[in-house]
């Protein structure tokens, strides 16, 4: 079997199988190739690819995606999440945050959330909750491995229960600056953070469940620690602003988070794979590829 050249960066095997719990093993193993130009989708994978311009105003930059995809389909995901996992005890808190969005959500995310809510015709509080889905109901696993030729493979799945809806709202987004892709994500329409992303020529990141059954504590951290970031927002910031694997690892290790998380990062070069075990306010462990014990 022909080996992948190193510059192809990563096979993110199982990315589309994120949402396909009922599909066959063969279908699950279809892959998305990530190269220097962005994302190339296997021709048999029915997933739409969109570009989001970082040069557009935050409130309108998702408009093209939502209008092309269909506002009603996007709202379907939101309604399903609210019915499936929204804890009633958090409704007053979500409404409070939505009413004071700029106090709790940094730009450009605050205006992006406003724009998404307007474009799909949804309550802003519901859109805020959708984008805090990891902090309330995490469910993800992933791996990073290296073959004998030094090629890095980064695979993941997500373990949310509403797979039919996720399968039908999955998209690939290329985030572009002056029509050049800076980073890409496999995500859901209406979700502006990133749980699965890559920066061409740099690194890949996946967010993975570290569930401590502490929804209320996560919420309190969000209110009290204004420096703490939702996990998916920090991942997107790192993909947008950091150029290389080691710098990405450092930022993801040091920044305050609302919720604990396992972060898996893959790089371009042999040996560039790491699992970061994060507490909210500090790292717990950093385990690098080929190490036999945690640090």
């Amino acid at each position: 079997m022909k080996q992948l050249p190193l510059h192809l960066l990563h096979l993110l095997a199982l990315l589309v199988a994120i949402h396909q719990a009922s599909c066959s093993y063969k279908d699950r193993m279809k892959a998305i190739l990530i190269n220097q130009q962005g994302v190339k989708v296997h021709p048999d994978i029915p997933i739409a690819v969109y570009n989001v311009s970082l040069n557009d105003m935050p409130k309108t930059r998702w408009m093209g995606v939502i209008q092309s995809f269909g506002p009603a389909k996007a709202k379907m995901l939101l309604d399903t999440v609210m019915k499936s996992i929204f804890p009633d005890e958090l409704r007053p808190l979500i409404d409070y945050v939505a009413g004071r969005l700029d106090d709790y959500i940094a730009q450009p995310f605050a205006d992006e959330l406003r724009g998404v809510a307007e474009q799909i015709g949804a309550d802003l509080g519901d859109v805020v909750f959708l984008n805090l889905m990891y902090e309330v109901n995490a469910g993800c696993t992933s791996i990073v491995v290296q073959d004998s030729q030094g090629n890095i493979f980064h695979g993941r799945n997500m373990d949310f229960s509403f797979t039919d809806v996720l399968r039908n709202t999955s998209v690939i987004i290329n985030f572009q600056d002056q029509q050049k892709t800076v980073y890409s994500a496999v995500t859901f329409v209406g979700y502006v953070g990133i749980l699965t992303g890559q920066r061409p020529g740099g690194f890949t990141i996946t967010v993975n469940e570290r569930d401590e059954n502490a929804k209320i504590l996560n919420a309190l951290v969000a209110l009290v620690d204004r420096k703490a970031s939702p996990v998916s927002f920090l991942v997107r910031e790192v993909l947008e602003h950091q150029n290389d694997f080691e710098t990405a690892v450092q930022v993801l290790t040091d920044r305050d988070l609302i919720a604990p998380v396992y972060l898996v990062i893959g790089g371009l070069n042999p040996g560039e794979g790491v699992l970061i075990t994060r507490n909210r306010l500090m790292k717990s462990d950093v385990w690098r590829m080929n190490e036999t014990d945690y640090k």
Side-chain angles (χ1 to χ4, degrees):
M1 181 176 178
K2 185 179 179 180
Q3 295 291 337
L4 285 175
L6 188 60
H7 74 270
L8 280 180
L9 186 61
H10 293 281
L11 254 179
L12 295 188
L14 306 179
L15 276 179
V16 174
I18 287 170
H19 325 298
Q20 301 195 1
S22 62
C23 68
S24 69
Y25 177 79
K26 181 179 178 181
D27 288 335
R28 286 174 181 267
M29 292 307 296
K30 290 176 181 174
I32 297 172
L33 293 180
I34 309 281
N35 66 13
Q36 300 291 349
Q37 285 71 49
V39 178
K40 290 185 177 179
V41 184
H42 189 288
D44 292 339
I45 294 176
I47 185 168
V49 181
Y50 297 100
N51 297 329
V52 167
S53 175
L54 299 171
N55 306 116
D56 292 342
M57 296 298 292
K59 196 171 182 179
T60 59
R61 64 177 48 150
W62 290 94
M63 183 180 297
V65 174
I66 292 171
Q67 293 304 314
S68 177
F69 184 83
K73 288 175 64 179
K75 195 169 186 299
M76 177 176 65
L77 169 62
L78 179 62
D79 291 343
T80 300
V81 170
M82 296 304 292
K83 291 177 182 177
S84 300
I85 65 173
F86 185 79
D88 291 337
E89 63 269 22
L90 289 185
R91 169 53 73 182
L93 178 62
I94 291 295
D95 289 340
Y96 178 86
V97 172
R100 299 160 178 80
L101 197 60
D102 291 307
D103 291 337
Y104 294 101
I105 302 293
Q107 295 293 357
F109 301 110
D111 279 350
E112 289 188 20
L113 295 176
R114 291 186 177 100
V116 168
E118 291 180 8
Q119 290 147 30
I120 67 175
D123 180 81
L124 178 57
D126 291 353
V127 174
V128 170
F129 177 80
L130 172 67
N131 281 269
L132 296 177
M133 187 163 54
Y134 172 84
E135 280 70 21
V136 176
N137 189 37
C140 330
T141 52
S142 64
I143 60 170
V144 60
V145 298
Q146 177 180 301
D147 70 8
S148 60
Q149 304 300 313
N151 298 307
I152 303 295
F153 294 79
H154 191 160
R156 77 111 78 255
N157 74 296
M158 299 184 93
D159 308 318
F160 294 114
S161 59
F162 33 92
T163 55
D164 286 342
V165 173
L166 295 180
R167 178 169 59 245
N168 293 323
T169 54
S170 299
V171 294
I172 294 170
I173 303 293
N174 294 321
F175 293 86
Q176 298 189 329
D177 182 11
Q178 304 299 332
Q179 300 184 325
K180 179 181 178 181
T181 297
V182 181
Y183 56 101
S184 303
V186 178
T187 187
F188 324 112
V189 176
Y191 194 85
V192 305
I194 294 178
L195 300 174
T196 306
Q198 66 91 27
R199 185 177 176 105
F203 52 91
T204 56
I205 307 174
T206 52
V207 172
N208 306 278
E209 177 183 6
R210 189 179 183 212
D211 188 2
E212 296 185 343
N213 196 26
K215 300 180 181 67
I216 301 302
L217 181 56
N218 291 347
L220 290 174
V221 171
L223 288 174
V224 173
D225 184 357
R226 301 296 179 87
K227 296 184 297 181
S229 173
V231 174
S232 67
F233 290 2
L234 176 59
V235 168
R236 186 172 150 194
E237 287 181 32
V238 169
L239 288 164
E240 186 165 333
H241 298 295
Q242 309 306 324
N243 296 315
D244 63 89
F245 171 83
E246 288 296 343
T247 307
V249 169
Q250 190 63 50
V251 176
L252 292 167
T253 300
D254 291 342
R255 284 276 299 274
D256 287 4
L257 295 171
I258 290 175
V261 65
Y262 294 112
L263 294 163
V264 174
I265 304 100
L268 185 63
N269 302 304
E272 290 187 339
V274 67
L275 165 64
I276 302 174
T277 303
R278 277 298 314 267
N279 298 321
R280 292 176 181 84
L281 307 182
M282 65 190 78
K283 69 180 181 183
S284 177
D285 289 295
V286 178
W287 194 14
R288 291 183 178 270
M289 187 177 288
N290 301 324
E291 290 182 346
T292 56
D293 293 302
Y294 288 105
K295 286 185 177 180

